[in-house]
Amino acid sequence: MKSSQRYNISLMLLLIATTATWFLNVSLGSVSIPFDEVLAVIFSDENSKESWRYIIMDYRIPKAFTSVLAGSGLAVSGMLMQTMFRNPLAGPYVLGLSSGASLGVALVLMGASLFGGMAAIAVFSSWGLVIASSVGSLLVLLAVMLASIRLKDTMAILIIGLMFASLSSAVVSVLAYFSPAAQLQQYVFWSYGSVGDLSWNELGVLAFFWFLGTGIAIYSIKNLNSLLLGEQYARSLGMNIGKNRALLIISTSFLAGSITAFAGPIAFVGLAVPHLIRQVIPVNDHKILLPAVILGGAILMLLCDILAQLPGTDFTLPINAITSLVGAPVVIWLLVRKRKFLF
């Protein structure tokens, strides 16, 4: 069998697995709903119970789509950063976007005394934390973009991103130290991450930024393949390194920044999925790797959300804990078995 045929079959299997996992995610939850009733609601059977219709259409389906967007978006941004920095440990938050978002939310939740009534309005507004998180990520992004214009060394940009992350984390720690228990608890709950709190309007905004970021990634596929052999080789092919670097940073900011704003800082997915996909489909061609990473990220996030929901119970575990508990052992096992990074 030719390699192209084998890769096409692999992508088709991933697509089937994504579809099956999506339906499984919608079918399971604290309220037990028969699978045939779930299908009836999805395909607009007017005779379905009103309570089941509300649960599925207004909670489970938005949650499942949020899981798909969050998992695939973080996986794509992680792949972009790993290729850009040629570092297998790079992830979507390596530029400090997550720390900037956390700082914005911390200033609203734990720094209310600094802003008075304005912070109180932001906290109680449904978009308050989204705006705070977005502004924090945007400020860090602008700082990193300014640094990328002045610096020629890609690794220096990585170090600057890590320094902004450390600076933001330090400010958050100071705010947490002086904050009352109630405000600190709000911040901690936000930091756990959640894919189940989005309305259809918020999901639409998240989808808009997902398409922007993914579109830029698709546009950059040829340059990403060139970067695999180093920046000098890419320059010899006529690639504008500065422009390409800016595009990758903007794509990552659209994806990781918007996901953090709406779903909180979800760890592990962006770092692990590109490696998982490279172990399953041993290829570095981004024409194949990009759609595979999108599907792989969606599958992992959907599965983690199913486990976090603890179907049949009223408990919901932090999605951040589940992504690491489930994903880390799998990645360790695959890497030990393969004994190398396909990067």
Side-chain angles (χ1 to χ4, degrees):
M1 184 182 296
K2 295 182 179 180
S3 296
S4 59
Q5 292 177 329
R6 187 165 62 250
Y7 295 146
N8 288 336
I9 291 174
S10 298
L11 290 175
M12 184 60 64
L13 291 175
L14 283 173
L15 180 59
I16 293 172
T18 303
T19 305
T21 311
W22 187 90
F23 278 103
L24 183 64
N25 184 284
V26 174
S27 302
L28 298 176
S30 58
V31 178
S32 179
I33 303 176
F35 184 69
D36 58 337
E37 291 294 336
V38 173
L39 293 178
V41 170
I42 293 175
F43 295 106
S44 300
D45 185 352
E46 298 297 335
N47 296 322
S48 302
K49 288 177 62 175
E50 190 63 30
S51 58
W52 288 354
R53 177 176 294 276
Y54 174 80
I55 291 171
I56 293 171
M57 298 302 297
D58 292 334
Y59 179 72
R60 290 189 184 179
I61 289 181
K63 179 169 64 69
F65 279 129
T66 302
S67 297
V68 170
L69 294 177
S72 58
L74 290 174
V76 169
S77 54
M79 180 198 70
L80 295 180
M81 291 297 96
Q82 288 169 11
T83 302
M84 174 177 164
F85 293 114
R86 292 187 51 77
N87 186 335
L89 296 179
Y93 298 134
V94 73
L95 298 177
L97 298 175
S98 175
S99 297
S102 299
L103 177 58
V105 172
L107 287 173
V108 170
L109 291 178
M110 298 187 292
S113 59
L114 299 176
F115 304 102
M118 182 179 66
I121 293 172
V123 169
F124 291 108
S125 167
S126 61
W127 290 85
L129 296 185
V130 172
I131 294 172
S133 177
S134 301
V135 170
S137 295
L138 179 62
L139 292 177
V140 172
L141 169 66
L142 291 176
V144 172
M145 288 294 291
L146 289 175
S148 68
I149 294 174
R150 296 179 60 87
L151 296 173
K152 302 298 182 182
D153 186 5
T154 302
M155 293 308 297
I157 299 175
L158 173 61
I159 295 173
I160 287 177
L162 294 174
M163 292 303 101
F164 276 119
S166 298
L167 181 62
S168 300
S169 298
V171 177
V172 171
S173 297
V174 172
L175 288 172
Y177 183 81
F178 289 104
S179 295
Q183 295 177 357
L184 182 58
Q185 187 180 47
Q186 280 184 289
Y187 176 77
V188 170
F189 281 151
W190 176 84
S191 68
Y192 286 157
S194 174
V195 294
D197 297 330
L198 270 66
S199 65
W200 283 106
N201 289 334
E202 292 169 329
L203 183 60
V205 175
L206 176 59
F208 172 75
F209 284 104
W210 185 91
F211 280 109
L212 279 180
T214 305
I216 296 174
I218 294 172
Y219 174 78
S220 305
I221 283 177
K222 182 179 178 180
N223 290 337
L224 287 168
N225 287 335
S226 300
L227 283 175
L228 290 174
L229 298 177
E231 290 189 354
Q232 293 300 326
Y233 176 79
R235 283 193 180 94
S236 69
L237 295 178
M239 188 178 83
N240 187 325
I241 296 296
K243 177 184 176 181
N244 182 70
R245 183 190 296 164
L247 285 174
L248 297 183
I249 292 174
I250 291 172
S251 176
T252 299
S253 67
F254 280 149
L255 292 169
S258 61
I259 291 166
T260 304
F262 284 99
I266 298 174
F268 184 81
V269 176
L271 173 63
V273 169
H275 294 307
L276 285 170
I277 292 299
R278 287 189 179 100
Q279 300 298 324
V280 176
I281 306 177
V283 64
N284 277 327
D285 184 355
H286 286 80
K287 289 182 181 179
I288 300 168
L289 191 60
L290 179 59
V293 163
I294 290 174
L295 295 172
I299 292 171
L300 179 61
M301 199 67 190
L302 286 166
L303 290 174
C304 288
D305 181 55
I306 291 172
L307 294 176
Q309 287 295 312
L310 294 176
T313 71
D314 294 330
F315 297 101
T316 302
L317 297 177
I319 193 69
N320 261 334
I322 299 300
T323 53
S324 297
L325 285 172
V326 171
V330 175
V331 174
I332 292 171
W333 178 75
L334 283 172
L335 292 178
V336 169
R337 188 169 66 90
K338 294 284 186 177
R339 297 183 180 180
K340 65 179 180 178
F341 285 102
L342 291 170
F343 183 76

